[in-house]
Amino acid sequence: MQEKVKQWLDRNREDAIGFLQTLVQEGSVQENEEGVQKLISDHLEKLGLEVDYWIPSGEEFLQHPYFCATRTDFSKSPNVVGRWKGTGGGKSIVLNGHIDVVPAGDLNQWDHDPYSGHIEDGKMFGRGVTDMKGGNLSLLLAIQCLKELGVKLKGDVLFHSVIEEESGGAGTLVAVLRGYTADAALIPEPTNMKIFPKQQGSKWFRLKVLGRSAHGGTRYEGVSAIEKAMPVIEAIQKLEKDRNARVDDPLYAKTPIPLPINIGKIEGGSWPSSVPDEILIEGRVGIGPQETLEDVKAEFEEAMSKIDDEWFGKYPVQIEWFGAQWLPGSIDVEHELMGILQERYQEVLGTAPEIEASPWGTDGGLLTHVGNTPSIVFGPGVTAYAHYPNEFIELEKVFQAAEIFALVVYDWCGGE
């Protein structure tokens, strides 16, 4: 089977590269996913899968406690799921990939058009090619390969092409609520071919630090919100240090800060000659695989309430949890799918895989906690190139991942 898969991938290499280029050329930023999802839907239909193409909506979805998005209108942002129905008696699997990409940013920092799919030295360049259209193609190739080799699977295969992962996972949430779950899942986020059985979650926060305005010439009559923000930042740094001191998971051994608390934005003040009376601090707190969103929020809020400054007794730091969030997720490292993935990885690449914990969030948390579908994150792209100018992926890694995925699906679902 391994040799048949490899030969099929070699025969279909050029067509596959061309299809990936077409996917990249559809710049599927938020509210512009319709074109690329139509391509995916048509492709799945050609492969003979049962295809569900729908606009996410409904009260159960929009009012769900884990709904997280910057909008509620998804009329130009369809979700797509393809089902390969098994013959029965086997385990099912979700192959989940998000189709949305972040904006290209400053075009002057790109050597080529970010939506060209330019190919050079065995690499394809373009926004979203590593995060994560290259990984999605690996999944699609695995399905196509098995189908064209005449394989019959006992268990169902569900391919998710979802929106909104970059804003918190609304696409995967609505797919799960629609019933598209399975016994386990694979998510080809850019891990540089490392296996992540555990995925960190995260949540955005906004802090309002108050001061008292005064003329800059008599600033001693006021209270600078900037100066009061300093002990707040110090409290955040201490909390990060304390939280990470408790981390003893060996899968985080190579990660310098397993659970980062990032301060990403500070703004405030209204006039150079006025003492600023308000500062806003926005950031992101990491959530460990074994933690809950609620517990981490409570610990953060407690740290903000205990800042040693009399001013905050009268004017406490105001905390708002807003915007994006990603639930943490994990699968037992002894899970059967982990064993199959490691074994097939060894056979294809001739070396044992590196196993670590994800330093960022994925849709695996939603699949695990809402869909009862334990998930493994493993893919061909490199995180360091995601969201960056000149984002690229090594094409050879895409085909290596496809070969591994095909064999894993064959083993897990029960191939005939």
Side-chain angles (χ1 to χ4, degrees):
M1 176 55 65
Q2 183 183 353
E3 188 59 32
K4 288 180 179 179
V5 168
K6 192 172 186 62
Q7 290 175 359
W8 185 94
L9 289 169
D10 287 342
R11 290 195 303 271
N12 290 273
R13 187 181 182 92
E14 293 306 313
D15 286 345
I17 292 173
F19 186 51
L20 178 58
Q21 203 168 36
T22 302
L23 295 178
V24 172
Q25 289 166 352
E26 286 284 345
S28 49
V29 295
Q30 194 173 92
E31 297 190 55
N32 193 43
E33 303 96 333
E34 193 170 20
V36 73
Q37 290 289 60
K38 190 65 170 64
L39 290 173
I40 295 292
S41 176
D42 290 347
H43 187 75
L44 293 173
E45 287 182 353
K46 288 177 183 177
L47 295 182
L49 274 65
E50 302 170 6
V51 178
D52 189 0
Y53 178 101
W54 82 99
I55 300 298
S57 62
E59 185 173 336
E60 181 188 15
F61 167 54
L62 297 174
Q63 301 300 320
H64 194 278
Y66 291 134
F67 173 79
C68 176
T70 57
R71 55 182 169 148
T72 56
D73 180 6
F74 298 94
S75 56
K76 297 181 180 179
S77 305
N79 242 22
V80 177
V81 170
R83 183 194 295 272
W84 179 4
K85 189 72 174 174
T87 59
K91 292 184 290 292
S92 58
I93 195 165
V94 161
L95 305 178
N96 174 284
H98 70 83
I99 205 66
D100 57 311
V101 305
V102 298
D106 181 5
L107 300 185
N108 293 321
Q109 297 185 35
W110 288 79
D111 293 337
H112 306 278
D113 184 321
Y115 301 112
S116 65
H118 174 77
I119 299 174
E120 186 176 332
D121 297 329
K123 302 171 183 175
M124 184 179 293
F125 293 80
R127 175 55 83 225
V129 70
T130 200
D131 186 17
M132 57 181 290
K133 291 178 179 178
N136 291 355
L137 178 69
S138 295
L139 297 179
L140 289 169
L141 287 174
I143 295 171
Q144 183 178 355
C145 171
L146 293 176
K147 273 194 148 287
E148 293 189 0
L149 288 177
V151 168
K152 295 186 184 300
L153 299 175
K154 295 179 181 179
D156 290 0
V157 177
L158 297 168
F159 177 80
H160 290 188
S161 183
V162 296
I163 61 169
E164 284 288 310
E165 190 276 341
E166 298 289 0
S167 294
T172 290
L173 174 63
V174 76
V176 165
L177 295 176
R178 204 168 172 92
Y180 295 122
T181 60
D183 293 313
L186 290 170
I187 306 175
E189 288 277 9
T191 70
N192 197 21
M193 303 293 277
K194 296 179 181 179
I195 297 174
F196 290 169
K198 298 181 180 182
Q199 306 101 50
Q200 181 183 138
S202 64
K203 178 64 181 171
W204 288 2
F205 62 84
R206 178 183 292 126
L207 307 179
K208 182 184 289 186
V209 182
L210 300 178
R212 182 185 296 124
S213 186
H215 192 287
T218 55
R219 73 177 188 85
Y220 44 82
E221 299 289 351
V223 177
S224 170
I226 291 177
E227 293 178 12
K228 291 303 176 185
M230 293 178 184
V232 173
I233 293 172
E234 290 173 0
I236 291 173
Q237 293 172 330
K238 182 180 184 303
L239 177 61
E240 180 188 63
K241 185 176 180 180
D242 291 345
R243 282 176 49 71
N244 283 278
R246 303 197 300 259
V247 176
D248 58 3
D249 190 329
L251 296 186
Y252 275 116
K254 296 180 180 179
T255 306
I257 306 176
L259 304 176
I261 304 179
N262 181 65
I263 297 174
K265 180 179 177 182
I266 299 178
E267 64 177 25
S270 58
W271 193 252
S273 289
S274 294
V275 175
D277 60 1
E278 181 179 294
I279 292 294
L280 293 179
I281 300 172
E282 294 181 356
R284 169 253 197 224
V285 58
I287 304 168
Q290 306 307 321
E291 295 183 308
T292 68
L293 179 62
E294 291 72 21
D295 287 346
V296 174
K297 287 167 64 175
E299 184 179 16
F300 187 94
E301 291 168 4
E302 182 181 12
M304 294 300 100
S305 71
K306 290 185 174 180
I307 299 173
D308 186 17
D309 189 308
E310 291 183 6
W311 177 259
F312 295 121
K314 296 180 180 179
Y315 305 98
V317 178
Q318 299 176 26
I319 304 172
E320 177 188 355
W321 298 100
F322 80 107
Q325 69 179 21
W326 289 264
L327 293 180
S330 66
I331 191 172
D332 192 322
V333 293
E334 301 298 327
H335 193 281
E336 183 183 355
L337 185 59
M338 279 288 293
I340 293 172
L341 179 56
Q342 291 175 76
E343 181 180 345
R344 288 303 196 174
Y345 183 107
Q346 177 89 36
E347 290 176 3
V348 171
L349 298 180
T351 185
E354 293 184 63
I355 302 175
E356 296 181 8
S358 165
W360 26 254
T362 75
D363 280 353
L366 284 166
L367 281 164
T368 300
H369 292 292
V370 182
N372 195 30
T373 304
S375 306
I376 300 172
V377 179
F378 164 75
V382 180
T383 308
Y385 307 136
H387 299 205
Y388 280 59
N390 297 316
E391 179 181 344
F392 71 87
I393 198 167
E394 297 176 62
L395 292 170
E396 182 59 30
K397 295 285 182 67
V398 173
F399 291 97
Q400 289 173 351
E403 184 177 348
I404 294 168
F405 286 140
L407 297 170
V408 169
V409 169
Y410 180 85
D411 291 345
W412 175 258
C413 295
E416 298 178 0

